[in-house]
C-alpha cells in the first residue's frame, strides 16, 4: 500500500509546511468530581455547602501543559507571576501615540512582501522613489515607535521588528523603555525568536543592556527550549556588569524545572538566597507552576501549603491551581477534594468543615476531623477560585470523557457567577468529541467563527448541522479562534474524519489567521503513529522539515519518534501474537560500542540513554534531531525514562538494568507514575517472574499510583505468555474485584491464555461470553471461526471511549458470575473434582482508591 504511505506523508508534510509558513519568524461543589460515576452506595449523603471566595470579574483577561506550562493557555499566569506588572504599563500611565498616517502605511504595504521572506534593507529603501519620504518620517520623534506598535497590534510582528531594524540603521534612537515594552508585546504573541533579535538590536544601539532586557532574553531562551547552564546564565549578567534581580532567579528556577533538572533548580534557589533574595510565596508559586514535569512529592506539597498561608490572594490562587493540576496528574481525587476544601469558611461550624458527608472514590467516607490539612491556617479563606480552577478540572474530565462530572462543574460555574472563557470552550470541544457528540463540539467552533463566514461555511464538510441543536452547553459568544480551540478540533476531527478532515481544519486556520504550532504537528504525528502507522522514515522527515526552516524539534516530537522506534525494535526482536511461544528466553546481545555505552550511562540524555541498533537504518536521519536537542541542553523527562525502562526490561530483557534505570529516575527527583510501574512490570512478566510483577503492582498501589485496567492487563498477558489460563483468570478476577471494566486488550489477553494452552474451544467460549463487556456482538458472527472472531473483536478497541471505566455493582456481580463459570468449566475440562479441590488461594485485589502517602490522613 505504497500509495497510502505516500498520502500519509503528504498530509504530514503539508501540515508541517503550514506550521512553517505562519510561524517562521456540599463541601465545595467542585469536590463532587471525587464521586465515582457508578457508586456502590445507594445514595449520596447530603453535603453541606461551603461558602467560598470566587472572582466575579470578567475572566477573559483574568489570570487563570508536556512540557512547558502547567496547563495549556497558562503562559499568561506565569508571565504575570514572574513579572508582577505588565511590562507596557507603569504607575503614571503611558502617553497616547498618534496613529501612523495612512499614506505611510500604504507605502510600507507596497515595500514589504506579504510574507517574511527576503525583506528590503536600508540601501534598498533608499533606491525606491518613495524611500526618502519614508525614511524622513521614521526619523521624526515618536514616528518609528508608532509604526512598530501599529504592526504589533495588527499581528505583524516580523514587520514591527523590520521597522526597528530600519529605523535603527537610519539613525533613530530608541529608549530602553521602548525595547522593554516591545518585548512584552512580542511575548504576548509568543514571538520568542523575535525577542532574541530585539535584545541584540537593543544592545547594539544603546551600547549597554539592562537587567530587564537580559531577563527578557532568558525567558525567550527558555520558551524556545534552549536551556543554558546556570553558570552560563549568570555569566551574561557579569559580562554586562548588571545585577540579577529576583525575576532573574525565578526565570532560572523555571528553566531548570522545565528541563527536569531538580538539582539545578535547588542550586538556583541557594544562589538566590546567597544574593540576598529570600524565598517568598511567589517563589513557591513559580516552583509549583513548573513542577508538573517531575510529579508532586510530599515535601513539595507541604511547602506549597505553607506558602499559601502567607501569600497574597493572587499568588495563593496560582499555588492552589498548581496543586490541583499536580494532584489530577496523579489521579488523586481525594487530594483534590482536600485542597479545594481548604478555602472554605466559616470554620466555627463543625458541619461545614471540609469533606463532611462526602463519599470519596471507592466508597470511603471522609470526616472533617480526620484530615491533617483541615488544621491549616484559617487565612486560606482569602483564596479565590477563578476560571482557571474550573478549566483545569474540565480539561482533566474531558480527557476521561466524564460528562456527568463536567456538567456538575459547569453548573457550579453558573452558581458562582464565573464566566467561561476561550479555554473553557476548548475543553468542552475536547469533551464533546470524546463522548461522541461531534455536532455539539462543532457548535462551539461555529460560535468561534462567527466573524468569519467563509471559514464557518467549511463546517458542514466536517459533519456540522446547524439545524440540529446542541444537546449540551455550548455558551454562545464565548469561544474565540485560538490555537487551543483548533488543536482540540484537530484531535477530534482526526478521530472522526481521519486525515481527510485535516485539510479543512487547516484551511479554517489560514482564513482566521491562526498559526499552527508545534503541538498541532505533534497531534498529527501521534495520530499517524497510532492509527495510520506510516513508515518511520516519513515521521522523521516531517520533523526534519521543521528543522530545515530554522525551527527546533520539541520533546513531544522526540517521544513520538522514540515510541515508533521502540515498537519497531520490539517487533523485530520479539514477534507478538497468540501463536508466539513464551518469551522468557534471553534476548540476543546488542552491539555496545564505546560511544553507545557512553550514551547508555547518561540518563540525562534526551533519550534517557536509549541506544537503538544500527540495523534499523534510521540513524542517519535521526542524528540531526538528536544533535539539535543535545545542543540546546534538553534533558530526559518522565516519558523518556518510561521508554528507557521498557527498552531495558522488554526489548533487551535485562531486568537488573531496568531496575537501575528506575532507581536513576527516582534519584533525579522524578516521581514514578503508572507508566513507569507498568513498564517495569512488563519487564518482570517477560522474564517470567509473575510473583515479582504482582508484588510490584501492589507496591504501586501502596505508593498512591493509580492501578488501572492497563496495569492489570500486563499481569494477565504475562500469565498468557506462560500458557497459564488458571492464573490468568485469577488475575482477571482481581481486576473485576477492583471495580474496573475490562477492555478489549484485557479480554484478548485472557482469551490468548486459553489459546496458548491449546484449549481452542474454551478460548472461543470465553471470547463470546465476555464480548458484551465492550459492545454488542454483530449478528451472524456467533458461528464464525475463532480467528475471524478475534480480528473483529480487536477492531472494537478505542471505539467506545464514552463507556465508563468502572463497573456498576450490578455489572460487577454479573461479571463475577461469568468468571466463576469460566473457571468451573476450565477445571472440569482439566479433570478437577469439586469435592477434592482444595480451598482456592484468594488473590489479594489491588485497591485503586488508596490514599497516596502525601494526602493520607491520620485515622483513629
Amino acid at each position: 500500500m505504497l500509495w497510502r504511505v505516500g498520502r500519509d506523508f503528504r498530509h504530514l508534510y503539508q501540515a508541517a509546511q503550514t506550521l512553517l509558513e505562519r510561524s517562521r519568524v456540599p463541601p465545595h461543589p467542585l469536590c463532587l468530581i471525587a464521586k465515582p460515576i457508578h457508586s456502590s452506595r445507594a445514595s449520596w449523603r447530603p453535603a453541606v455547602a461551603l461558602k467560598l471566595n470566587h472572582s466575579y470579574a470578567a475572566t477573559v483577561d483574568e489570570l487563570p501543559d508536556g512540557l512547558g506550562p502547567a496547563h495549556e493557555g497558562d503562559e499568561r499566569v506565569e508571565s504575570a507571576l514572574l513579572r508582577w506588572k505588565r511590562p507596557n504599563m507603569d504607575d503614571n500611565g503611558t502617553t497616547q501615540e498618534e496613529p501612523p498616517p495612512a499614506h505611510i502605511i500604504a507605502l510600507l504595504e507596497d515595500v514589504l512582501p506579504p510574507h517574511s521572506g527576503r525583506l528590503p534593507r536600508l540601501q534598498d529603501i533608499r533606491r525606491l522613489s518613495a524611500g526618502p519620504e519614508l525614511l524622513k518620517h521614521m526619523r521624526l520623534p515618536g514616528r518609528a515607535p508608532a509604526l512598530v506598535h501599529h504592526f504589533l497590534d495588527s499581528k505583524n510582528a516580523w514587520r514591527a521588528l523590520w521597522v526597528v531594524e530600519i529605523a535603527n540603521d537610519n539613525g533613530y534612537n530608541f529608549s530602553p523603555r521602548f525595547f522593554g515594552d516591545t518585548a512584552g508585546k512580542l511575548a504576548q504573541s509568543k514571538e520568542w525568536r523575535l525577542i532574541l533579535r530585539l535584545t541584540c538590536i537593543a544592545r547594539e544601539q544603546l551600547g549597554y543592556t539592562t537587567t530587564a532586557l537580559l531577563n527578557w532574553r532568558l525567558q525567550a531562551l527558555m520558551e524556545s527550549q534552549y536551556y543554558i547552564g546556570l553558570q552560563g546564565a549568570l555569566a551574561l549578567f557579569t559580562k554586562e556588569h548588571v545585577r540579577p534581580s529576583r525575576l532573574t532567579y525565578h526565570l532560572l528556577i523555571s528553566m531548570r524545572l522545565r528541563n527536569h533538572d531538580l538539582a539545578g533548580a535547588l542550586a538556583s534557589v541557594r544562589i538566590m538566597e546567597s544574593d540576598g533574595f529570600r524565598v517568598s510565596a511567589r517563589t513557591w508559586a513559580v516552583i509549583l507552576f513548573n513542577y508538573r514535569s517531575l510529579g508532586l512529592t510530599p515535601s513539595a506539597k507541604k511547602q506549597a501549603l505553607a506558602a499559601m498561608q502567607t501569600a497574597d490572594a493572587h499568588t495563593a490562587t496560582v499555588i492552589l491551581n498548581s496543586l490541583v493540576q499536580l494532584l489530577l496528574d496523579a489521579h488523586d481525587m481525594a487530594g483534590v477534594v482536600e485542597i479545594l476544601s481548604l478555602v472554605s469558611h466559616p470554620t466555627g461550624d463543625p458541619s461545614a468543615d471540609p469533606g463532611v458527608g462526602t463519599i470519596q472514590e471507592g466508597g470511603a467516607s471522609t470526616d472533617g476531623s480526620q484530615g491533617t490539612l483541615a488544621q491549616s491556617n484559617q487565612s486560606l479563606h482569602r483564596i479565590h477560585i477563578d476560571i482557571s480552577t474550573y478549566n483545569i478540572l474540565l480539561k482533566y474530565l474531558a480527557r476521561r470523557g466524564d460528562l456527568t462530572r463536567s456538567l456538575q462543574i459547569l453548573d457550579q460555574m453558573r452558581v458562582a457567577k464565573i464566566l467561561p472563557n476561550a479555554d473553557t470552550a476548548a475543553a468542552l470541544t475536547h469533551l464533546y468529541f470524546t463522548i461522541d457528540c461531534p455536532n455539539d463540539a462543532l457548535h462551539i467552533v461555529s460560535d468561534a467563527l462567527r466573524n468569519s463566514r467563509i471559514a464557518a461555511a467549511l463546517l458542514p464538510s466536517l459533519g456540522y448541522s446547524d439545524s440540529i441543536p446542541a444537546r449540551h452547553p455550548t455558551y454562545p459568544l464565548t469561544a474565540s479562534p485560538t490555537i487551543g480551540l483548533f488543536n482540540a478540533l484537530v484531535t477530534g476531527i482526526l478521530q472522526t474524519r481521519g486525515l481527510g478532515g485535516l485539510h479543512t481544519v487547516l484551511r479554517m486556520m489560514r482564513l482566521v489567521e491562526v498559526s499552527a504550532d508545534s503541538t498541532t504537528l505533534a497531534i498529527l504525528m501521534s495520530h499517524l503513529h497510532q492509527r495510520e502507522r506510516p513508515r518511520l522514515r516519513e515521521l522523521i522527515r516531517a520533523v526534519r522539515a521543521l528543522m530545515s526552516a530554522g525551527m527546533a524539534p520539541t520533546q513531544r516530537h522526540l517521544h513520538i519518534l522514540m515510541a515508533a522506534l521502540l515498537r519497531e525494535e520490539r517487533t523485530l526482536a520479539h514477534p507478538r501474537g497468540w501463536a508466539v511461544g513464551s518469551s522468557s528466553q534471553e534476548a540476543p546481545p546488542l552491539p555496545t560500542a564505546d560511544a553507545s555505552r557512553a550514551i547508555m550511562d547518561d540518563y540525562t540524555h534526551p533519550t534517557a540513554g536509549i541506544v537503538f541498533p544500527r540495523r534499523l537504518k534510521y540513524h542517519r536521519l535521526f542524528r540531526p534531531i538528536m544533535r539539535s536537542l543535545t545542543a540546546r541542553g534538553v534533558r530526559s523527562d518522565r516519558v523518556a525514562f518510561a521508554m528507557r525502562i521498557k527498552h531495558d526490561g522488554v526489548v533487551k530483557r535485562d531486568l537488573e538494568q531496568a531496575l537501575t534505570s528506575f532507581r536513576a529516575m527516582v534519584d533525579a527527583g522524578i516521581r514514578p507514575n503508572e507508566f513507569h510501574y507498568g513498564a517495569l512490570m512488563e519487564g518482570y512478566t517477560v522474564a517470567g517472574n509473575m510473583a515479582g510483577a504482582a508484588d510490584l503492582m501492589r507496591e504501586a498501589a501502596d505508593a498512591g499510583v493509580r492501578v488501572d485496567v492497563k496495569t492489570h492487563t500486563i499481569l494477565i498477558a504475562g500469565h498468557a505468555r506462560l500458557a497459564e489460563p488458571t492464573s490468568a483468570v485469577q488475575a482477571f478476577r482481581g481486576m473485576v474485584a477492583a471495580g474496573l471494566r475490562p477492555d478489549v486488550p484485557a479480554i484478548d489477553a485472557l482469551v490468548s491464555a486459553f489459546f496458548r494452552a491449546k484449549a481452542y474451544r474454551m478460548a472461543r467460549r470465553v471470547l463470546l461470553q465476555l464480548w458484551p463487556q465492550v459492545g454488542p456482538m454483530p449478528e451472524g458472527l456467533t458461528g464464525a471461526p475463532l480467528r475471524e472472531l478475534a480480528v473483529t473483536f480487536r477492531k472494537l478497541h478505542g471505539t467506545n471511549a464514552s463507556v465508563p471505566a468502572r463497573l456498576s455493582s450490578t455489572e460487577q456481580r454479573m461479571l463475577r458470575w461469568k468468571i466463576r463459570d469460566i473457571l468451573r468449566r476450565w477445571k472440569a475440562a482439566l479433570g478437577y473434582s469439586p469435592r477434592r479441590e482444595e480451598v482456592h488461594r484468594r488473590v489479594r485485589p489491588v485497591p485503586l482508591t488508596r490514599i497516596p502517602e502525601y494526602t493520607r490522613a491520620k485515622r483513629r
Side-chain angles (χ1 to χ4, degrees):
M1 302 288 288
L2 294 179
W3 66 270
R4 186 172 182 179
V5 173
R7 182 201 65 182
D8 293 344
F9 176 65
R10 285 193 299 273
H11 285 294
L12 186 60
Y13 188 78
Q14 290 170 4
Q17 292 299 332
T18 302
L19 170 63
L20 299 177
E21 233 174 53
R22 308 196 60 83
S23 58
R24 180 180 292 265
V25 194
H28 186 264
L30 290 182
C31 299
L32 294 177
I33 62 172
K35 175 185 179 297
I37 295 178
H38 299 287
S39 176
S40 57
R41 302 293 182 97
S43 61
W44 282 64
R45 292 169 57 187
V48 179
L50 299 180
K51 298 180 180 178
L52 296 174
N53 291 335
H54 290 82
S55 174
Y56 295 97
T59 55
V60 175
D61 293 326
E62 281 291 316
L63 300 172
D65 160 114
L67 292 184
H71 34 272
E72 186 179 355
D74 272 5
E75 292 85 353
R76 298 192 305 272
V77 177
E78 188 173 25
S79 178
L81 192 62
L82 296 173
R83 308 173 186 278
W84 198 248
K85 296 180 181 180
R86 291 190 180 275
N88 58 345
M89 290 185 179
D90 63 359
D91 296 334
N92 299 324
T94 58
T95 58
Q96 296 293 330
E97 294 177 337
E98 296 183 4
H103 71 281
I104 296 295
I105 299 297
L107 289 177
L108 289 174
E109 293 290 343
D110 295 336
V111 169
L112 295 175
H115 299 289
S116 55
R118 184 184 181 279
L119 298 175
R121 300 180 181 179
L122 180 61
Q123 54 268 30
D124 300 329
I125 300 295
R126 286 172 176 168
R127 286 194 292 263
L128 298 176
S129 59
E133 181 183 2
L134 185 60
L135 296 177
K136 180 180 179 180
H137 178 82
M138 287 187 179
R139 282 194 294 265
L140 295 176
R143 301 303 185 184
L147 285 173
V148 172
H149 294 157
H150 168 78
F151 285 123
L152 288 175
D153 294 339
S154 59
K155 299 182 180 180
N156 286 318
W158 61 271
R159 290 189 174 186
L161 192 62
W162 176 85
V163 171
V164 174
E165 293 178 340
I166 295 298
N168 180 42
D169 296 340
N170 195 36
Y172 189 90
N173 294 322
F174 294 100
S175 65
R177 177 179 174 180
F178 164 80
F179 287 112
D181 293 348
T182 304
K185 291 189 176 182
L186 289 174
Q188 294 177 17
S189 303
K190 303 180 184 179
E191 298 287 352
W192 305 112
R193 295 181 63 193
L194 298 184
I195 290 179
L196 293 175
R197 290 177 57 188
L198 180 69
T199 56
C200 292
I201 296 173
R203 177 65 178 84
E204 178 184 353
Q205 178 192 301
L206 298 175
Y208 64 92
T209 189
T210 63
T211 301
L213 289 175
L214 284 180
N215 287 338
W216 278 120
R217 186 168 185 83
L218 278 181
Q219 185 169 358
L221 289 172
M222 178 179 65
E223 298 292 348
S224 303
Q225 292 192 2
Y226 194 101
Y227 302 107
I228 60 176
L230 176 60
Q231 297 302 326
L234 294 177
L236 292 176
F237 289 81
T238 303
K239 180 180 179 181
E240 298 294 340
H241 305 287
V242 294
R243 185 173 183 268
S245 63
R246 177 183 292 274
L247 172 59
T248 304
Y249 291 108
H250 284 179
L251 287 168
L252 292 175
I253 294 171
S254 299
M255 185 181 292
R256 299 298 89 187
L257 290 177
R258 283 196 184 189
N259 202 25
H260 326 105
D261 185 6
L262 182 60
L266 295 176
S268 301
V269 173
R270 288 192 293 268
I271 296 176
M272 181 182 72
E273 290 180 318
S274 64
D275 205 12
F277 299 101
R278 64 179 181 83
V279 176
S280 62
R282 198 184 307 177
T283 306
W284 278 109
V286 172
I287 293 174
L288 263 293
F289 191 85
N290 294 277
Y291 213 83
R292 190 178 181 185
S293 61
L294 301 176
L296 185 62
T297 59
S299 59
K301 182 178 180 181
K302 181 179 179 180
Q303 294 288 348
L305 291 175
M308 288 172 64
Q309 300 180 29
T310 59
D312 58 87
H314 169 70
T315 304
T317 300
V318 177
I319 296 177
L320 171 70
N321 292 338
S322 300
L323 281 177
V324 170
Q325 181 66 74
L326 287 165
L327 291 168
L328 289 177
D329 289 343
H331 310 285
D332 184 6
M333 293 298 186
V336 172
V337 172
E338 208 164 11
I339 289 295
L340 291 176
S341 300
L342 285 176
V343 298
S344 62
H345 76 91
T347 57
D349 185 5
S351 63
D353 284 342
V356 173
T358 304
I359 300 177
Q360 305 293 337
E361 190 164 355
S365 178
T366 62
D367 186 357
S369 62
Q370 294 173 348
T372 57
L373 294 181
Q375 302 173 0
S376 299
N377 194 292
Q378 305 304 329
S379 62
L380 294 179
H381 72 269
R382 297 180 295 105
I383 301 176
H384 293 279
I385 293 183
D386 59 4
I387 183 59
S388 64
T389 313
Y390 291 93
N391 287 338
I392 292 170
L393 297 171
L394 284 175
K395 291 173 185 177
Y396 175 78
L397 297 174
R399 290 193 298 270
R400 301 182 55 159
D402 194 336
L403 177 63
T404 302
R405 297 182 196 175
S406 297
L407 294 179
Q408 293 175 351
I409 296 295
L410 296 177
D411 185 62
Q412 294 306 320
M413 287 175 58
R414 178 185 57 81
V415 173
K417 299 180 181 179
I418 298 291
L419 302 178
N421 61 7
D423 291 337
T424 311
L428 292 179
T429 301
H430 188 186
L431 171 67
Y432 296 155
F433 272 118
T434 304
I435 64 174
D436 197 21
C437 293
N439 196 60
D440 289 7
L442 293 176
H443 268 285
I444 298 178
V445 178
S446 176
D447 177 57
L449 302 177
R450 57 187 175 272
N451 296 326
S452 178
R453 295 183 179 180
I454 300 177
L458 300 175
L459 287 174
S461 62
L462 299 177
Y464 173 64
S465 177
D466 190 21
S467 60
I468 301 177
R471 294 184 294 172
H472 305 104
T474 58
Y475 297 105
L477 304 179
T478 297
S480 58
T482 62
I483 185 58
L485 177 68
F486 278 109
N487 283 340
L489 178 61
V490 168
T491 303
I493 289 300
L494 286 174
Q495 295 173 357
T496 57
R497 297 274 169 172
L499 295 173
L502 179 64
H503 291 296
T504 304
V505 179
L506 294 177
R507 186 180 175 190
M508 288 180 186
M509 296 173 66
R510 287 193 295 268
L511 290 173
V512 297
E513 298 182 352
V514 173
S515 301
D517 59 1
S518 59
T519 303
T520 312
L521 183 61
I523 293 171
L524 176 59
M525 291 177 61
S526 179
H527 170 80
L528 292 175
H529 166 64
Q530 297 175 4
R531 300 290 181 90
E532 305 294 335
R533 298 197 175 187
R535 295 176 61 187
L536 178 59
R537 187 183 305 274
E538 315 305 338
L539 294 176
I540 297 177
R541 284 176 175 171
V543 180
R544 293 281 299 273
L546 292 176
M547 299 177 61
S548 65
M551 294 193 65
T554 65
Q555 282 184 312
R556 190 170 178 183
H557 299 149
L558 175 65
H559 296 159
I560 298 171
L561 297 178
M562 288 177 60
L565 282 167
L566 187 61
R567 181 177 62 190
E568 186 166 340
E569 186 179 6
R570 177 177 178 174
T571 302
L572 290 174
H574 320 297
R576 306 174 71 178
W578 285 4
V580 179
S582 173
S583 59
S584 60
Q585 65 271 16
E586 295 184 0
L590 298 176
T592 55
D594 294 339
S596 299
R597 173 58 61 183
I599 295 177
M600 290 174 60
D601 296 338
D602 184 11
Y603 287 101
T604 62
H605 191 269
T607 62
I610 296 179
V611 178
F612 295 97
R614 295 186 178 276
R615 65 173 180 267
L616 293 178
K617 300 179 181 179
Y618 296 122
H619 282 269
R620 186 171 58 85
L621 291 173
F622 203 62
R623 191 181 299 117
I625 300 174
M626 296 307 307
R627 188 181 297 119
S628 171
L629 292 168
T630 54
R632 290 182 284 122
V634 177
R635 295 165 56 99
S636 57
D637 60 354
R638 302 177 87 182
V639 179
F641 266 108
M643 293 184 185
R644 171 65 189 269
I645 296 169
K646 191 169 186 177
H647 184 266
D648 291 337
V650 179
V651 177
K652 297 172 57 179
R653 297 180 184 175
D654 189 346
L655 188 56
E656 289 299 324
Q657 184 62 47
L659 288 169
T660 302
S661 301
F662 188 90
R663 297 189 191 102
M665 178 191 66
V666 176
D667 293 340
I670 299 178
R671 189 175 181 86
N673 56 21
E674 62 269 24
F675 299 104
H676 304 101
Y677 279 105
L680 195 57
M681 278 183 59
E682 199 168 352
Y684 273 97
T685 59
V686 168
N689 188 352
M690 298 307 302
D695 291 341
L696 186 62
M697 184 168 65
R698 284 190 284 270
E699 290 177 9
D702 292 338
V705 176
R706 182 185 65 164
V707 178
D708 56 6
V709 63
K710 295 180 181 178
T711 313
H712 284 276
T713 302
I714 294 173
L715 204 59
I716 299 169
H719 289 296
R721 290 192 193 97
L722 301 176
E724 299 175 349
T726 303
S727 299
V729 173
Q730 294 289 354
F732 193 89
R733 171 183 284 180
M735 178 181 66
V736 175
L740 292 173
R741 182 184 301 277
D743 59 0
V744 171
I747 297 174
D748 184 81
L750 180 61
V751 175
S752 70
F754 291 97
F755 184 88
R756 290 185 176 179
K758 299 182 179 180
Y760 306 119
R761 185 175 299 178
M762 193 66 191
R764 177 188 179 86
R765 180 186 296 274
V766 171
L767 181 57
L768 293 176
Q769 200 164 1
L770 297 180
W771 192 305
Q773 295 298 321
V774 296
M777 187 171 184
E779 298 181 2
L781 200 62
T782 307
L786 179 59
R787 177 183 177 84
E788 184 179 350
L789 287 174
V791 171
T792 306
F793 180 73
R794 289 171 179 173
K795 291 180 180 179
L796 298 177
H797 184 44
T799 59
N800 294 329
S802 59
V803 177
R806 300 190 64 83
L807 296 165
S808 65
S809 56
T810 303
E811 291 173 328
Q812 197 171 353
R813 223 172 16 249
M814 292 298 297
L815 192 53
R816 282 199 299 263
W817 178 85
K818 290 182 180 181
I819 295 172
R820 284 198 300 268
D821 181 67
I822 291 172
L823 274 176
R824 180 180 60 80
R825 291 179 181 274
W826 172 244
K827 291 180 179 180
L830 294 179
Y832 281 90
S833 172
R835 296 181 179 180
R836 297 180 180 180
E837 184 179 359
E838 296 180 356
V839 178
H840 297 134
R841 180 169 55 89
R842 295 184 178 274
V843 178
R844 176 189 170 191
V846 181
L848 301 184
T849 57
R850 293 173 182 259
I851 301 177
E853 57 182 5
Y854 48 86
T855 60
R856 188 173 297 158
K858 296 181 180 179
R859 303 183 183 276
R860 296 179 180 178

